[in-house]
Amino acid sequence: MTTPVCTSASNGMTRPAPYPSFSSYVRARQPVLLRTARSLTANASDAEDLLQTALTKTYVAWERIEDHRAVDGYVRRALLNTRTSQWRKRKVDEFACDELPEPEPQPGEADPAERQALHDAMWRAIMKLPARQRAMVVLRYYEDLSEAQTAQILGVSVGTVKSAVSRALGKLRDDPELDVVR
């Protein structure tokens, strides 16, 4: 025996739900069941889909469930079985191999870890500069603005930018933390 899951409203009238007890059960227990589904999946929308599938299976079997006080266990089992089936059906794109598929470094290309270490050390050194010098260095070298553009943005003269950037670069050259990466 099959039970229709969806009803048609083609004539403008909707039919009452065949199982009012099921509707009231879903309204009452949905938040708890959704938390259970969320614990089985990676994100909220997958949990909603999983719960919807499990509730559909429960709806189809509603007449066969003898003790409606134990429906939570039935739905939880449906959640777990559905999630297990989804997991088994997933496509596996990874497989074990003898060698790691890492590309060989090209000549002249720096190691990414070393580049990141240099980047981090440089930012720590820049953060030690006074705020005004730091702003000028960032605008000149990270934003790639000219001395005139930097002066205009900061509201100072071009000579002030030149001298402040010169002092800042001197401090960066003398920073002991940057000696390690030189």
Side-chain angles (χ1 to χ4, degrees):
M1 175 178 146
T2 61
T3 305
V5 176
C6 298
T7 59
S8 170
S10 59
N11 61 359
M13 297 172 47
T14 58
R15 294 189 317 195
Y19 303 122
S21 59
F22 178 78
S23 298
S24 61
Y25 168 77
V26 171
R27 276 193 298 279
R29 300 298 293 162
Q30 185 175 12
V32 173
L33 296 172
L34 187 58
R35 280 194 300 272
T36 303
R38 182 67 178 97
S39 69
L40 295 172
T41 60
N43 63 47
S45 39
D46 286 345
E48 291 171 0
D49 291 344
L50 178 63
L51 179 59
Q52 186 66 40
T53 303
L55 288 174
T56 302
K57 290 178 179 181
T58 304
Y59 179 83
V60 169
W62 194 252
E63 288 179 338
R64 293 189 316 254
I65 299 173
E66 293 175 12
D67 185 7
H68 282 232
R69 292 174 296 176
V71 174
D72 276 358
Y74 186 92
V75 175
R76 284 192 183 101
R77 176 51 61 184
L79 283 168
L80 188 58
N81 289 346
T82 303
R83 182 64 185 134
T84 302
S85 295
Q86 291 171 347
W87 178 77
R88 286 179 179 156
K89 290 178 185 176
R90 81 187 194 292
K91 182 179 177 186
V92 178
D93 292 332
E94 297 178 10
F95 52 91
C97 60
D98 293 335
E99 295 181 29
L100 292 176
E102 294 180 8
E104 292 294 322
Q106 300 297 321
E109 188 177 298
D111 180 28
E114 290 175 8
R115 276 188 302 184
Q116 187 63 42
L118 175 62
H119 181 267
D120 293 345
M122 181 59 76
W123 272 110
R124 282 192 300 274
I126 288 173
M127 294 307 291
K128 293 177 190 174
L129 295 173
R132 188 172 174 180
Q133 287 180 356
R134 183 173 53 240
M136 290 182 189
V137 167
V138 168
L139 289 172
R140 280 286 290 128
Y141 297 104
Y142 283 90
E143 296 295 323
D144 201 26
L145 298 179
S146 67
E147 291 166 343
Q149 291 169 323
T150 303
Q152 182 182 8
I153 289 173
L154 296 176
V156 297
S157 68
V158 174
T160 302
V161 172
K162 287 181 181 181
S163 63
V165 168
S166 176
R167 283 192 301 277
L169 292 177
K171 288 180 183 179
L172 291 174
R173 279 187 212 102
D174 294 337
D175 192 305
E177 192 173 355
L178 294 177
D179 283 340
V180 176
V181 292
R182 285 187 199 147

